[in-house]
Amino acid sequence: MDIERVLDVSARQTIRTEFRFDSEAPLVVSMEFVIEGGPRVLWRIGRDLLHQGLYSVSGLGDVQIRPSSLEDQATAWLQLASGNMAALFELPVPPLAKWLEYTYELVPDGHELAGIDWDAATADLLQSPTAHSD
């Protein structure tokens, strides 16, 4: 999917972005920015945070997303920050919302942790040599 990086009020850069979802790690969506002639940049964003941000303000800190306006929900603003740098992107809502709906068909909301063997996970935590007890 092509998204727009907002450079300033009148300048934008189209960036090819690959959105990926892994049903084995259903809490996150991977966004890989494919910059022509440059490195690929990977960000992992909470699936629910991304979905909510298409329709209302979502996220704190390094990842924030919100619809461009409440009247026209054709695009959403995504701000990514790292250290003292930040980038603002404009995302097309209809194709992204359709793709996210598909991810929720694969792993429904509320079922993301259903496949975890909590006894094994807890045992691994308690067996860890770096585990500390209070």
Side-chain angles (χ1 to χ4, degrees):
M1 174 182 313
D2 287 337
I3 67 172
E4 298 282 324
R5 179 172 179 210
V6 180
L7 302 171
D8 66 32
V9 175
S10 61
R12 294 169 178 255
Q13 174 187 19
T14 301
I15 298 178
R16 185 77 189 152
T17 306
E18 297 174 2
F19 289 83
R20 288 191 218 111
F21 176 74
D22 180 357
S23 61
E24 297 296 316
L27 294 172
V28 298
V29 168
S30 296
M31 293 177 64
E32 188 167 20
F33 300 94
V34 182
I35 301 164
E36 192 172 322
R40 289 176 168 249
V41 178
L42 179 67
W43 276 79
R44 289 184 178 88
I45 298 175
R47 178 174 71 156
D48 289 344
L49 183 148
L50 182 60
H51 185 257
Q52 178 184 345
L54 299 180
Y55 308 103
S56 65
V57 176
S58 181
L60 297 169
D62 294 347
V63 179
Q64 298 177 33
I65 184 169
R66 62 182 169 77
S68 58
S69 73
L70 295 177
E71 297 83 35
D72 175 24
Q73 296 184 350
T75 63
W77 300 110
L78 170 66
Q79 181 172 314
L80 301 175
S82 179
N84 62 353
M85 301 194 60
L88 181 64
F89 301 92
E90 189 171 17
L91 308 174
V93 170
L96 188 53
K98 185 176 180 178
W99 180 79
L100 280 167
E101 286 174 26
Y102 173 71
T103 72
Y104 284 107
E105 289 173 13
L106 293 173
V107 179
D109 188 27
H111 291 85
E112 293 90 350
L113 303 177
I116 293 178
D117 180 348
W118 289 104
D119 291 332
T122 304
D124 287 346
L125 288 173
L126 297 175
Q127 298 287 332
S128 173
T130 60
H132 300 283
S133 62
D134 290 335

